[in-house]
Amino acid sequence: MSGKTAMVTGITGQDGSYLAELLLDKGYEVYGLVRRVSQPTSGRSLINHLLTHEKFHLVNGDLADQNSIDNAVAQSQPDEFYNLGAMSFVPESWRSPMMTADITGLGALRCLEAIRKHAPHCRFYQAGSSEQYGKVRDVPQTEATPFHPRSPYGCAKVFAFEITRNYRESYDMFACTGILFNHESPRRGLEFVTRKVTMTAARIAKGFDECLWIGNVDAKRDWGFAGDYVKAMYLMLQQDEPDDFVVATGETHAVSEFVELAFEAAGIDDWERYVKIDQRFFRPAEVDLLVGDASKAKEQLGWEPQVSFRDLVTMMVDHDLELEKSKLG
Ligand code: NAP
Ligand code: G4F
């Protein structure tokens, strides 16, 4: 057992919940940073099962507020800090660009400052994104591919990446960014395209919905399983030297392929009959093609994805079919 302490921002999200499980399994004391809400029992469903674990603790804090992060770090004295908190939904970043820059961009700087001042020994992981590549300059994308973000979200993640590298070089901090490509699971938020599709396919199969309203089905993404990707985050902080790594499957698929497979998994043959294009889901600037080359992660971290694209889609559809079935009584 490790005897180490970790702090995780974004603990209530998809990745935070998987990472907390991984770290608790390894014997870590885990402190999750949560925003104060008036009804704490709702909206934390992904970590409810961890609340009674003796090594799991919640601490109030907000990535917009330096004091709260300072206090959380000073009090818990983590050995490792995983900054997974963000405004993570790309379309929202055009509606709320300032808030996105503040939370997703400056939030990383606030974490680094808290560590520099209160726990300089602490290792730092920043949740970077393939959205940093945006209008891609190389195919596939590697750690050497230049950034060209296409959304305020992507711009905020580029700032977070650069400030993490700068603190590593300026203050000799053990600070890394994982440039993670899209990763999904049954815990994925409902507004992201994969979960929206698997949930709607399940609802159509059970007779609760009639069609799927969707945007650009030609966009291509490199989709992996979130449970695999949190292992790469952990491995990055166990290395001798801090570094940045691409984490991806190396395969790309169009949104339309995801839809086809999801409907097939839900037992619906003529999927095109149920899909309707809605201009409201198109973006002011699209990221057309993402596919990552994770060779460096494979060689240096010994990391490889375990779940295939087909198995990922099936896992999500099976989960959503069960959920919808339980509503039938
Ligand atoms: P997610 O499910 O949307 O979770 C986001 C988390 O951030 C939630 O716990 C949320 O807390 C928290 N948060 C939002 N605003 C905050 C604030 N002001 N202060 C503190 N916490 C705040 O995201 P995810 O899919 O797990 O992704 C984790 C991280 O990886 C994010 O930084 C995301 O941008 C990045 N990323 C994700 C992917 C992917 O494909 N999933 C790929 C690359 C990078 P509340 O519950 O209070 O809202
Ligand atoms: O599922 P998405 O919303 O994910 P997106 O924009 O790729 O961002 C996710 O992955 C990033 C890593 O690359 C993360 F950094 C980020 O935090 C987030 O987790 O959209 C995927 C694609 C886009 O091209 C979008 O235009 O699906 C297309 N799409 C088509 N119809 C749709 C829809 N996306 C959404 N959300 N909803 C639709 O109806």
Side-chain angles (χ1 to χ4, degrees):
M1 287 287 144
S2 83
K4 286 187 190 163
T5 297
M7 169 149 287
V8 181
T9 73
I11 193 88
T12 55
Q14 171 188 258
D15 292 6
S17 63
Y18 282 114
L19 181 65
E21 288 170 2
L22 179 81
L23 295 172
L24 289 168
D25 274 355
K26 292 186 182 297
Y28 278 62
E29 201 84 32
V30 175
Y31 288 83
L33 190 88
V34 287
R35 295 191 274 183
R36 192 222 156 244
V37 285
S38 54
Q39 301 290 331
T41 46
S42 62
R44 292 183 183 163
S45 57
L46 301 183
I47 54 167
N48 275 344
H49 62 297
L50 302 177
L51 294 176
T52 53
H53 195 293
E54 58 178 0
K55 291 193 163 190
F56 186 72
H57 319 277
L58 294 180
V59 28
N60 279 344
D62 194 307
L63 286 166
D65 180 60
Q66 184 71 56
N67 272 353
S68 64
I69 307 172
D70 283 352
N71 290 338
V73 170
Q75 281 164 24
S76 59
Q77 284 297 308
D79 301 293
E80 296 171 12
F81 189 116
Y82 296 86
N83 181 35
L84 311 186
M87 198 308 288
S88 74
F89 189 48
V90 173
E92 182 60 31
S93 76
W94 278 283
R95 294 187 284 265
S96 310
M98 312 295 173
M99 184 266 275
T100 305
D102 193 19
I103 307 304
T104 306
L106 281 176
L109 174 56
R110 294 190 183 102
C111 298
L112 286 160
E113 266 298 287
I115 292 167
R116 187 180 70 80
K117 288 183 290 191
H118 301 293
H121 66 280
C122 176
R123 295 182 170 206
F124 178 72
Y125 172 84
Q126 166 58 23
S129 166
S130 47
E131 280 287 306
Q132 292 166 214
Y133 297 120
K135 196 174 166 93
V136 299
R137 309 269 182 92
D138 300 324
V139 180
Q141 296 85 53
T142 72
E143 292 80 3
T145 300
F147 298 137
H148 185 147
R150 295 275 278 169
S151 62
Y153 170 82
C155 295
K157 284 289 183 187
V158 170
F159 171 78
F161 173 89
E162 295 294 355
I163 201 67
T164 299
R165 180 161 63 184
N166 180 259
Y167 267 51
R168 177 164 82 219
E169 294 173 358
S170 304
Y171 301 114
D172 203 23
M173 286 170 63
F174 195 109
C176 311
T177 298
I179 307 174
L180 270 54
F181 284 62
N182 299 51
H183 45 279
E184 318 294 317
S185 73
R187 300 183 192 178
R188 187 56 142 155
L190 288 168
E191 75 265 48
F192 298 94
V193 77
T194 54
R195 189 74 198 290
K196 176 176 168 177
V197 169
T198 61
M199 178 60 91
T200 309
R203 288 179 61 77
I204 292 171
K206 297 291 176 201
F208 290 129
D209 265 339
E210 288 176 357
C211 67
L212 168 70
W213 291 99
I214 199 163
N216 177 12
V217 294
D218 297 325
K220 290 183 154 184
R221 289 291 183 274
D222 179 331
W223 279 295
F225 171 52
D228 286 343
Y229 284 40
V230 298
K231 292 179 189 155
M233 300 175 188
Y234 165 77
L235 288 169
M236 279 178 226
L237 294 199
Q238 315 310 314
Q239 302 305 297
D240 292 336
E241 298 295 332
D243 206 347
D244 306 317
F245 293 89
V246 162
V247 178
T249 69
E251 263 184 47
T252 193
H253 299 273
V255 171
S256 57
E257 288 176 67
F258 192 102
V259 176
E260 183 176 1
L261 218 51
F263 275 70
E264 184 189 308
I268 304 166
D269 295 331
D270 45 351
W271 64 279
E272 277 161 311
R273 196 157 73 79
Y274 297 92
V275 175
K276 297 199 190 315
I277 302 299
D278 187 333
Q279 292 301 321
R280 284 177 307 161
F281 297 116
F282 282 70
R283 299 174 182 188
E286 178 62 281
V287 173
D288 295 320
L289 165 69
L290 290 174
V291 56
D293 175 354
S295 304
K296 183 175 164 185
K298 184 176 178 188
E299 280 156 28
Q300 295 187 31
L301 306 178
W303 180 87
E304 276 190 277
Q306 302 299 314
V307 176
S308 71
F309 177 64
R310 180 174 281 275
D311 287 350
L312 173 66
V313 178
T314 308
M315 177 202 303
M316 293 175 71
V317 172
D318 285 351
H319 172 272
D320 288 338
L321 282 171
E322 276 306 307
L323 215 61
E324 294 306 319
K325 197 168 102 187
S326 66
K327 291 180 191 162
L328 286 168

